[in-house]
Amino acid sequence: MVAPTNEAELADVIAASKQAFSIKGGGTRTLGTTMGIPMETQALTGVELYDPGALTVVAKAGTSLDDLHSILAADHQRLAFEPPDLRALLGRDGLSTIGGVVAANASGPRRIQGGACRDYLLGVRFVDGTGRIVKNGGRVMKNVTGYDLVKLMAGSHGTLGVLSEVSLKVLPIPEQVGVLLIEGLRPDQAVSAMSMALGSPFDVTGAAHTTKGLDGDPVTMIRLEGFENSVRYRAEALRDKLIEFGDIHIETDAVKTAAGWAWVRDAAMHVGLPGDVWRISVAPKDGPVVAALLPDTEIQFDWGGGLLWARVPDGFDVRAALTGLKGHATRIKGAGTPQDPSVFAPESAPVAALTAGIRKQFDPKGLLNPGLMGAAPSRKEQ
């Protein structure tokens, strides 16, 4: 295993290597199986700059998410995109790192309103597969390069470069959170209610539904955030708008609302239970359709019905259920089958060609997480 302690050392290690690397930050959200020498980036840690007035933070990639949350919270600020914590779901310990969050473009329930991790990423520093140190972006949202590398690196899962530093826009923590709770809805009814809420002028920041809540019954959750008086007014107005869906309870207790959305964010309904867990992204109107095509199981709908966390029997390939529908599925937990152990959905021929071309430019020797996301194993690993 290699564990570089600074960016220069990271660059030297990659430049001198003829063998591939299996790259991870804290290893808390790594998907699939990668080949090569294990490389950990947790030693690249520390907040380089934090300017609360400019809503900007610059941190080394190995900085733990817990530490970053604490630093921001001290100034009543937070990461805007609500990154999930999958440690309980995947049965892993350790510390999630901000580099791992960016590499996975990990984004939680607030994405439906505010955008994904990549939308708050201002700049990156990384080392590509040749050992070259690359910087793109900065503390302002503009790019003048041929590639928007800031966006490209978010979600690349370490196949284009090893992140060493990230710059992010942050946001204030709201004064009040209010959640509308509707019990007993079918998935199609829940999607209708969430779509109506998201289409309203009341600035909904979360819309989720689970077929089995903590009390065993289906529950739909719609979140509002902001100043206390504003949240109260909007919650009551939205309740009146959704009255056709039955009795609606408004919850404003800070502890309960935080715990409820953490439960949604982390797909906690599937923790400790047998079966494979898939993350499925489709148009919200197709969420109930996909759910009906899956084996009988509990499903969580997020993003207004466009994101499904589904637990299915071991080896069941959810991607077959998406035939004829626009969307994709990623196996988050489970080994798949010997015939198809892949985690990510296969790429179409044009997309695969584009991906291969980009990867060849940034990792011509195939050293970075070969075998992941369609990356071909390097000759040393075949």
Side-chain angles (χ1 to χ4, degrees), residues 76-91:
H76 211 62
Q77 295 184 347
R78 67 183 182 187
L79 294 175
F81 48 90
E82 209 169 0
D85 182 347
L86 300 182
R87 286 177 290 188
L89 178 65
L90 299 179

Side-chain angles (χ1 to χ4, degrees), residues 125-137:
R125 291 179 67 98
F126 64 93
V127 178
D128 71 8
T130 68
R132 177 180 54 175
I133 297 173
V134 181
K135 179 182 179 181
N136 192 231

Side-chain angles (χ1 to χ4, degrees), residues 276-333:
D276 292 352
V277 177
W278 288 75
R279 183 179 182 273
I280 309 165
S281 180
V282 293
K285 66 180 179 60
D286 292 331
V289 176
V290 173
L293 295 173
L294 300 179
D296 186 29
T297 186
E298 288 79 37
I299 297 176
Q300 175 182 293
F301 298 77
D302 200 355
W303 299 355
L307 177 67
L308 283 66
W309 291 88
R311 181 172 49 85
V312 298
D314 292 336
F316 181 88
D317 194 335
V318 164
R319 292 168 294 197
L322 298 182
T323 302
L325 297 172
K326 292 183 178 180
H328 59 84
T330 302
R331 183 167 43 78
I332 300 297
K333 177 186 176 185

Side-chain angles (χ1 to χ4, degrees), residues 2-19 21 23 39-41 44 125-135 160-165 362-363 365 367-368:
V2 294
T5 58
N6 56 60
E7 185 182 70
E9 185 179 339
L10 171 63
D12 289 344
V13 168
I14 294 177
S17 182
K18 295 182 179 180
Q19 290 184 292
F21 296 100
I23 304 154
M39 174 185 285
E40 295 186 357
T41 62
L44 304 174
R125 291 179 67 98
F126 64 93
V127 178
D128 71 8
T130 68
R132 177 180 54 175
I133 297 173
V134 181
K135 179 182 179 181
L160 301 179
V162 183
L163 287 164
S164 56
E165 182 183 279
F362 290 95
D363 184 23
K365 296 186 290 182
L367 300 182
L368 307 179

Side-chain angles (χ1 to χ4, degrees), residues 39-270:
M39 174 185 285
E40 295 186 357
T41 62
Q42 291 184 79
L44 304 174
T45 186
V47 172
E48 298 287 276
L49 179 148
Y50 175 38
D51 187 341
L55 299 175
T56 304
V57 65
V58 181
K60 293 182 180 178
T63 304
S64 79
L65 202 54
D66 291 344
D67 286 349
L68 191 54
H69 283 320
S70 296
I71 290 169
L72 296 178
D75 276 288
H76 211 62
Q77 295 184 347
R78 67 183 182 187
L79 294 175
F81 48 90
E82 209 169 0
D85 182 347
L86 300 182
R87 286 177 290 188
L89 178 65
L90 299 179
R92 298 175 186 172
D93 52 16
L95 296 174
S96 178
T97 66
I98 189 59
V101 166
V102 170
N105 191 34
S107 311
R110 201 170 289 111
R111 178 175 184 173
I112 194 67
Q113 182 256 2
C117 170
R118 62 165 54 94
D119 297 307
Y120 293 90
L121 192 59
L122 302 174
V124 292
R125 291 179 67 98
F126 64 93
V127 178
D128 71 8
T130 68
R132 177 180 54 175
I133 297 173
V134 181
K135 179 182 179 181
N136 192 231
R139 293 177 57 194
V140 294
M141 285 194 171
K142 65 178 181 179
N143 279 285
V144 293
T145 60
Y147 286 116
D148 185 348
L149 298 183
V150 174
K151 299 292 193 291
L152 194 63
M153 290 300 291
S156 63
H157 291 267
T159 60
L160 301 179
V162 183
L163 287 164
S164 56
E165 182 183 279
V166 299
S167 305
L168 291 157
K169 178 183 177 182
V170 298
L171 291 179
I173 295 173
E175 179 180 285
Q176 178 77 60
V177 177
V179 180
L180 280 68
L181 300 171
I182 315 172
E183 294 189 347
L185 298 184
R186 300 189 310 268
D188 60 318
Q189 294 173 319
V191 169
S192 294
M194 291 187 290
S195 296
M196 189 178 294
L198 288 164
S200 75
F202 301 124
D203 199 20
V204 170
T205 66
H209 171 78
T210 176
T211 56
K212 187 176 182 180
L214 294 175
D215 62 358
D217 295 324
V219 61
T220 307
M221 306 166 60
I222 298 169
R223 181 175 61 188
L224 304 166
E225 299 176 292
F227 293 110
E228 182 178 356
N229 290 340
S230 172
V231 169
R232 182 184 302 112
Y233 167 77
R234 288 182 286 135
E236 292 174 354
L238 186 55
R239 179 173 58 186
D240 292 342
K241 184 178 180 67
L242 300 177
I243 194 66
E244 66 184 86
F245 295 99
D247 294 334
I248 301 175
H249 170 67
I250 299 174
E251 181 61 70
T252 57
D253 180 88
V255 174
K256 290 181 180 179
T257 57
W261 284 97
W263 189 82
V264 172
R265 180 197 68 198
D266 303 337
M269 71 178 297
H270 299 309

